């Protein structure tokens, strides 16, 4: 496969998306302990210990927390991120 289409390349691109959009609240390791986390109640989710499957997590990213009956502080990213970025 061309280098851009490998799993490794997708993981690198995903890391860039996470650092750009998610790290401020969810933290560098995804534990919900980012710099902005203390400003929110409830705190951002610990993504390393989630009971939800990937399809539901993608729905949360697309619709935001309020769009799925969760925290209003999680913004909806569906209009800003591509399908690949959400995955």
């Amino acid at each position: 496969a061309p280098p851009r289409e490998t799993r490794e390349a997708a993981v690198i691109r995903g890391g860039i998306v996470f650092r750009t959009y998610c790290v401020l609240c969810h933290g560098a390791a995804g534990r919900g302990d980012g710099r902005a986390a203390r400003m929110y109640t409830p705190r951002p989710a610990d993504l390393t210990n989630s009971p939800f499957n990937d399809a539901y997590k993608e729905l949360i990213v697309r619709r935001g927390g309020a769009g799925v009956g969760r925290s209003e502080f999680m913004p909806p990213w569906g209009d800003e991120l591509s399908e690949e970025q959400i995955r």
Side-chain angles (χ1 to χ4, degrees), residues 45-54 56-57 60 70:
D46 178 348
L47 304 176
T48 67
N49 186 23
S50 174
F52 303 116
N53 64 32
D54 288 346
Y56 186 70
K57 290 178 199 173
I60 294 170
R70 297 186 57 80

Side-chain angles (χ1 to χ4, degrees), residues 15-38:
I16 293 167
V17 171
F18 185 84
R19 286 189 304 275
T20 302
Y21 294 93
C22 313
V23 76
L24 186 61
C25 295
H26 291 284
R31 293 192 176 101
D33 59 356
R35 289 187 334 218
R38 66 179 176 264

